[in-house]
Amino acid sequence: MKLKQCIFIMMILLFVTAFSAYSKEDIPTADNSAFKHPQRPAAVFDHDEHNEKANLEDDCSYCHHVYENKKLIKDESSEGSSCSECHPLKSSLKNAIPLRTAFHKRCKECHFKSDKGPVLCGECHVKKAR
Ligand code: HEC
Ligand code: HEC
Ligand code: HEC
Ligand code: HEC
């Protein structure tokens, strides 16, 4: 009887730890596959939920913008393209600002200005398994 109780409790513990590890793995993040050797865990970013909370649902081009001859084309949106299609990994004279700067400027600028949302490295690049 005692052994059975013990096994039962251990099963519950195993289930609970497995489940909490799983839910941590499941936090949606930005896609960092364009970076060849990422130095950090991909940043937390739950696209639709975030944009709803930040009141950006009607302003896709705030992030998915379109430029022509270095001029921003208002109200046109490039949501079909990844940021990395236009922003190169390394800075170059003829192209847009490098990818990492593009992400950081877009994400952090608003958090600083509005005093909402994370601004510290570890708040966005959250390590998964702890
Ligand atoms: C507001 C959220 C946010 C904050 C704060 C932030 N980052 Fe990022 N960072 C991103 C996003 C989004 C990307 C692009 C894809 C990804 O890695 O998730 C990125 C990309 C990167 C990359 C390139 C990809 C890689 O892993 O090599 C590095 C390096 C990086 N960040 C380091 C930092 C450091 C260092 C800090 C603090 C000084 C920082 N970040 C703060 C959101 C953030
Ligand atoms: C706060 C910035 C931001 C806003 C606002 C935003 N997005 Fe995005 N969206 C992103 C980022 C970052 C990615 C990842 C792109 C990448 O890695 O190149 C993305 C990816 C996407 C993708 C590609 C998804 C995939 O699985 O490949 C689509 C489609 C998209 N967004 C549509 C929209 C639409 C529609 C809106 C407006 C209702 C919108 N986005 C508003 C930042 C934003
Ligand atoms: C269709 C090409 C294209 C796509 C897709 C694109 N960008 Fe850009 N982006 C540009 C160009 C061109 C510039 C202007 C660079 C210059 O003035 O030298 C720019 C400028 C920027 C700037 C600096 C100006 C500003 O608005 O503050 C940021 C930040 C930026 N992009 C972030 C992003 C992010 C994040 C994504 C993905 C969600 C993205 N871009 C997708 C082409 C693009
Ligand atoms: C125009 C403003 C704006 C931009 C651009 C923006 N954010 Fe935010 N972000 C917010 C606001 C506002 C909150 C706080 C939402 C709340 O909890 O009410 C927030 C919260 C967050 C949080 C905390 C978790 C959450 O969803 O509430 C993360 C993580 C985050 N942002 C990541 C990002 C990343 C990554 C980008 C760039 C791809 C980004 N943000 C671009 C305004 C912005």
Side-chain angles (χ1 to χ4, degrees):
M1 216 29 183
K2 271 200 175 149
L3 182 65
K4 266 192 188 161
Q5 276 174 340
C6 194
I7 289 173
F8 182 68
I9 289 170
M10 273 175 54
M11 299 256 291
I12 288 184
L13 279 177
L14 258 176
F15 178 77
V16 167
T17 45
F19 185 75
S20 56
Y22 173 76
S23 51
K24 255 181 201 140
E25 289 285 323
D26 222 31
I27 302 172
T29 56
D31 180 11
N32 68 350
S33 59
F35 298 93
K36 300 249 161 58
H37 304 286
Q39 297 164 28
R40 300 241 163 194
V44 175
F45 186 57
D46 192 343
H47 191 279
D48 293 358
E49 197 194 285
H50 172 276
N51 294 341
E52 206 175 296
K53 281 201 235 159
N55 261 327
L56 287 164
E57 314 121 284
D58 297 326
D59 198 2
C60 308
S61 61
Y62 189 96
C63 295
H64 300 286
H65 50 207
V66 174
Y67 276 83
E68 247 162 55
N69 300 320
K70 300 224 168 189
K71 274 221 175 91
L72 184 67
I73 311 295
K74 258 193 127 213
D75 299 328
E76 261 193 58
S77 147
S78 61
E79 72 232 20
S81 315
S82 347
C83 315
S84 60
E85 279 175 46
C86 301
H87 293 277
L89 279 179
K90 295 239 159 71
S91 59
S92 84
L93 283 176
K94 53 178 198 253
N95 280 315
I97 58 170
L99 189 58
R100 176 178 162 185
T101 317
F103 274 115
H104 283 161
K105 182 155 192 264
R106 183 50 72 248
C107 304
K108 289 203 249 179
E109 204 169 60
C110 174
H111 292 172
F112 271 119
K113 269 194 203 147
S114 61
D115 209 9
K116 281 186 193 142
V119 293
L120 299 176
C121 317
E123 291 177 308
C124 282
H125 299 285
V126 179
K127 285 201 195 89
K128 277 177 187 161
R130 252 179 272 181

